[in-house]
Amino acid sequence: MKDRNHPVLYIVIPCYNEQEVLPITAPLFLRKIEDLSAAGKISPESRVLFVNDGSRDKTWDIICGLAAADPHYLGISQSRNRGHQNAVLAGLMEAKDRCDITISIDCDGQDDINAMDAMVDAYRDGCEVVYGVRSKRDTDTFFKRFTAESFYKLLNAMGAEVVFNHADYRLLSARVLKEFANFKEVNLFLRGMVPLVGFKSTAVTYERHERIAGESHYPLSKMLGLAFDGITSLSVKPIRFITGFGVLVALVSFVGVIWAIVEAAIGATVSGWASTTCIICFVSGVQLICLGVIGEYIGKIYMETKARPRYIISERTWDEEDA
Ligand code: UDP
Ligand code: MG
């Protein structure tokens, strides 16, 4: 360890119900490690670390089989499905004391494994964080592309600092991970948290392919959930926005009140049922939305104060005493 030119690399791969794709992509990760270490860029002690995120299919059996067949494969299993972000965190935290650098990547072969060469090179040149950034999204459906790109724009507009078109394919050094371990939040949005840690960083672009097999576990509902978490866990801008909006509505109401008094004073009051109804509907709608956003933050505070563990590892493919 600690040899910047031959770092120990752990490739961290979250897996949830991936029995179709894992047997295809696992050897690709192993070959990448072998190639990189043959080229003298990383230590032969490097490993492929799978994180089983409470899969209900044969994923964990496959991981155990791989680990038994080749010592370069390691696996940990979460006690239940906790979601992609927590699975990646579990893997990173598990790896941080055993390696010099980690690269997190999905197991479905969508992210170009060959971008790892450039990531490792950037680390050898002194970077501690290397973001994998998608050059284009030709293979995504129009819908996925549109929603994903709006997601980044919305996040940035709302004050969460994220790298455009960067998902969770990135290199992090152990040094960064040790600092990262001090970020105790339960509501996780890794790609927004990494820039907060700082350190020298750069980006590597790659092309994103289609899934090799199996299907996406990020339907629209989960994407919206992630977007919401991303905004509310990183920024208080929506609350400020509400305050500003409240002031605006109050000003308009004030003008309205003066207008109503003047109208009444000159005796021009007519039965204004429609306008009254409209105003009540509008204002109560605004209030409910604002309450909802504030409630979302209070819910987050509630979850944070509980300080529940962010992941629970139930099994490992190795004996902890040996490690
Ligand atoms: N994943 C996970 N837990 C989940 C959902 C997904 O660990 O609850 C993993 C999944 O196995 C994959 C990665 O997260 O390695 C990305 O998921 P997916 O490919 O389904 O998302 P997409 O690429 O379509 O956004
Ligand atoms: Mg995918």
Side-chain angles (χ1 to χ4, degrees):
M1 294 239 286
K2 289 281 162 286
D3 177 0
R4 194 151 194 120
N5 282 320
H6 298 95
V8 177
L9 165 67
Y10 270 50
I11 303 181
V12 173
I13 307 159
C15 310
Y16 174 57
N17 293 347
E18 299 285 10
Q19 61 183 10
E20 283 96 16
V21 76
L22 206 51
I24 308 171
T25 52
L28 302 178
F29 293 121
L30 180 61
R31 197 174 326 136
K32 182 89 272 173
I33 279 197
E34 286 166 354
D35 289 352
L36 281 169
S37 76
K41 290 186 176 186
I42 59 169
S43 153
E45 294 296 302
S46 300
R47 297 283 182 268
V48 180
L49 173 63
F50 295 104
V51 184
N52 172 36
D53 186 19
S55 302
R56 279 185 291 270
D57 63 0
K58 296 214 160 34
T59 301
W60 181 238
D61 298 338
I62 296 171
I63 294 172
C64 291
L66 289 167
D70 191 306
H72 289 96
Y73 290 120
L74 299 175
I76 56 176
S77 186
Q78 294 223 83
S79 57
R80 49 161 293 192
N81 180 248
R82 288 292 300 273
H84 168 243
Q85 299 285 298
N86 298 69
V88 173
L89 181 77
L92 293 178
M93 290 300 120
E94 191 73 21
K96 79 175 190 309
D97 300 318
R98 308 162 62 97
C99 67
D100 300 309
I101 51 174
T102 58
I103 295 180
S104 50
I105 185 169
D106 294 351
C107 77
D108 53 13
Q110 283 190 282
D111 299 320
D112 185 4
I113 295 176
N114 294 322
M116 288 188 189
D117 297 63
M119 288 185 173
V120 172
D121 287 343
Y123 170 79
R124 286 154 51 102
D125 287 344
C127 290
E128 303 284 334
V129 178
V130 188
Y131 300 102
V133 174
R134 284 178 216 177
S135 55
K136 53 184 175 144
R137 285 177 173 263
D138 294 0
T139 52
D140 282 351
T141 60
F142 171 76
F143 181 71
K144 176 99 192 179
R145 190 164 66 217
F146 176 74
T147 49
E149 288 188 348
S150 318
F151 170 58
Y152 291 103
K153 289 190 184 132
L154 181 71
L155 278 174
N156 279 315
M158 285 293 169
E161 202 187 307
V162 289
V163 179
F164 192 68
N165 267 348
H166 158 67
D168 282 298
Y169 184 19
R170 75 176 81 79
L171 179 147
L172 292 175
S173 69
R175 208 170 140 207
V176 172
L177 286 172
K178 280 178 187 132
E179 300 302 330
F180 197 69
N182 294 324
F183 285 63
K184 301 286 185 200
E185 58 224 71
V186 176
N187 296 287
L188 280 182
F189 187 63
L190 298 176
R191 73 190 80 161
M193 289 160 67
V194 172
L196 300 177
V197 186
F199 290 102
K200 189 171 176 201
S201 67
T202 185
V204 164
T205 51
Y206 67 95
E207 275 179 39
R208 181 145 158 121
H209 308 295
E210 272 175 73
R211 225 174 204 283
I212 293 182
E215 54 192 47
S216 171
H217 303 107
Y218 261 105
L220 184 62
S221 58
K222 269 200 193 176
M223 269 184 5
L224 286 177
L226 187 70
F228 224 78
D229 275 352
I231 296 165
T232 54
S233 60
L234 289 165
S235 151
V236 289
K237 249 196 182 174
I239 287 192
R240 274 192 214 137
F241 181 72
I242 286 173
T243 316
F245 196 61
V247 171
L248 196 75
V249 171
L251 280 177
V252 172
S253 312
F254 184 66
V255 174
V257 169
I258 293 176
W259 168 68
I261 292 173
V262 170
E263 290 285 285
I266 59 175
T269 42
V270 283
S271 52
W273 180 82
S275 56
T276 315
T277 312
C278 292
I279 291 169
I280 291 175
C281 290
F282 173 70
V283 173
S284 45
V286 168
Q287 279 184 338
L288 278 182
I289 295 171
C290 297
L291 266 183
V293 174
I294 292 169
E296 180 73 21
Y297 280 94
I298 293 179
K300 289 253 151 81
I301 296 169
Y302 179 57
M303 294 313 289
E304 298 290 349
T305 53
K306 285 182 201 253
R308 286 181 176 160
R310 297 179 288 183
Y311 54 86
I312 297 171
I313 296 168
S314 59
E315 278 154 282
R316 289 179 171 81
T317 56
W318 68 90
D319 272 342
E320 253 191 293
E321 281 86 61
D322 302 351

